[in-house]
Amino acid sequence: MPQFAANLTMLFTELPFLDRFEAAAGAGFKAVEFLFPYAYSAADIKQRLDAHGLALVLHNLPAGDWDAGDRGMACDPGRVQEFRAGVAKAIEYANLLGVPQLNCLAGKAPAGVDEQLIHQTLVDNLRFAAAALKGAGLRLLIEPINTFDIPGFVLSRTEQAVALIDEVGADNLFVQYDIYHAQRMEGELAATLQKHLARIAHIQLADNPGRNEPGTGEINYPFLFALLDRIGYAGWMGCEYRPATSTTAGLAWRERLTALSA
């Protein structure tokens, strides 16, 4: 049976962020994830986690100015010091919040910069981040993201992520596999999950098209849930989707689709 974590960046958005923890617990979630904690104090977030008996299973390293269009900076040779300062900040939050793993968004290719320099910057920054996180007892994740939603994103396919992990050579570096992004870029979801299960530390979900709840689109989630049970995936599945109406109105998919996967 899959373990679902509510993504509080995308779910319960009718509420202020710090009120979403109570809503998630009230809806039956035992764990949460979100993009970034940095606009809030770690103490305030920890209080919400503890008050509602929730585990935090994932957040991202700082990714630049999100509202201005940044989607990570690990590949940008002009922002290495900013990236590395962000690693230290993320570890500080992780230690206080008890999260076991942090995701690194590779970023969009900076204009006018040589592709090999972009790649080498990404490799060097991942080596730095992996070493820093290992010292803190944390896993580092990298996430392929589809280039329809984020044109120019430098990491978009699973095989590319696995090759990057091999090149970096860190034993605490893994793939964050987002089913929605993977469906848009490459399909072959079941075969890819089976082939690379040992490299995957976290899975996220949404349906396609629309990035709405599972069961609203073309992806056969009962089949995938049964497959993940069969091949032994023991991690969390982050519910990173846009509710088609309200979060609460759409949550019936959990019981309905998991029952079909039994």
Side-chain angles (χ1 to χ4, degrees):
M1 177 70 68
Q3 303 179 94
F4 299 118
N7 186 294
L8 298 185
T9 302
M10 297 188 73
L11 302 186
F12 305 106
T13 56
E14 63 274 14
L15 299 171
F17 178 74
L18 291 176
D19 293 339
R20 297 174 196 173
F21 294 83
E22 181 178 8
F29 288 101
K30 303 300 183 186
V32 297
E33 63 176 33
F34 40 75
L35 287 181
F36 309 109
Y38 311 112
Y40 305 89
S41 76
D44 284 345
I45 295 173
K46 183 70 160 57
Q47 190 276 328
R48 300 309 197 280
L49 292 168
D50 292 346
H52 302 294
L54 293 167
L56 177 60
V57 299
L58 181 80
H59 67 75
N60 293 335
L61 301 181
D65 188 339
W66 197 262
D67 291 339
D70 284 343
R71 292 298 181 266
M73 51 187 160
C75 71
D76 190 337
R79 302 177 74 176
V80 171
Q81 293 307 312
E82 183 182 359
F83 173 82
R84 296 186 179 193
V87 170
K89 185 175 184 179
I91 291 172
E92 179 182 351
Y93 269 81
N95 286 338
L96 291 167
L97 297 176
V99 65
Q101 55 195 6
L102 300 171
N103 183 45
C104 175
L105 293 171
K108 297 182 285 189
V113 180
D114 177 73
E115 288 185 10
Q116 183 54 42
L117 179 58
I118 290 170
H119 177 78
Q120 192 58 53
T121 300
L122 179 57
V123 170
D124 292 344
N125 276 335
L126 289 175
R127 284 181 180 146
F128 173 88
L133 266 64
K134 186 169 185 177
L138 301 169
R139 289 186 297 269
L140 177 64
L141 311 185
I142 52 173
E143 179 184 11
I145 291 179
N146 82 79
T147 54
F148 300 101
D149 287 1
I150 306 181
F153 200 81
V154 299
L155 179 62
S156 60
R157 294 180 177 272
T158 308
E159 294 286 353
Q160 182 189 5
V162 170
L164 186 59
I165 290 170
D166 287 342
E167 186 174 357
V168 171
D171 62 6
N172 64 324
L173 180 58
F174 293 89
V175 175
Q176 177 175 303
Y177 186 85
D178 187 303
I179 291 171
Y180 164 77
H181 290 304
Q183 174 70 359
R184 294 212 69 185
M185 289 304 297
E186 59 193 22
E188 290 292 319
L189 302 174
T192 303
L193 287 164
Q194 287 182 287
K195 180 178 180 180
H196 295 300
L197 182 66
R199 304 294 192 101
I200 295 169
H202 189 66
I203 295 174
Q204 292 178 324
L205 55 76
D207 219 323
N208 185 62
R211 204 176 185 179
N212 301 132
E213 296 91 337
T216 59
E218 66 189 355
I219 300 174
N220 187 343
Y221 271 103
F223 174 83
L224 289 179
F225 293 156
L227 171 78
L228 288 167
D229 280 347
R230 188 167 67 250
I231 65 178
Y233 177 70
W236 292 90
M237 298 191 74
C239 300
E240 192 183 48
Y241 63 82
R242 300 186 187 97
T245 55
S246 72
T247 301
T248 302
L251 286 175
W253 67 265
R254 294 175 299 174
E255 292 74 23
R256 178 169 54 86
L257 298 186
T258 53
L260 290 172
S261 72

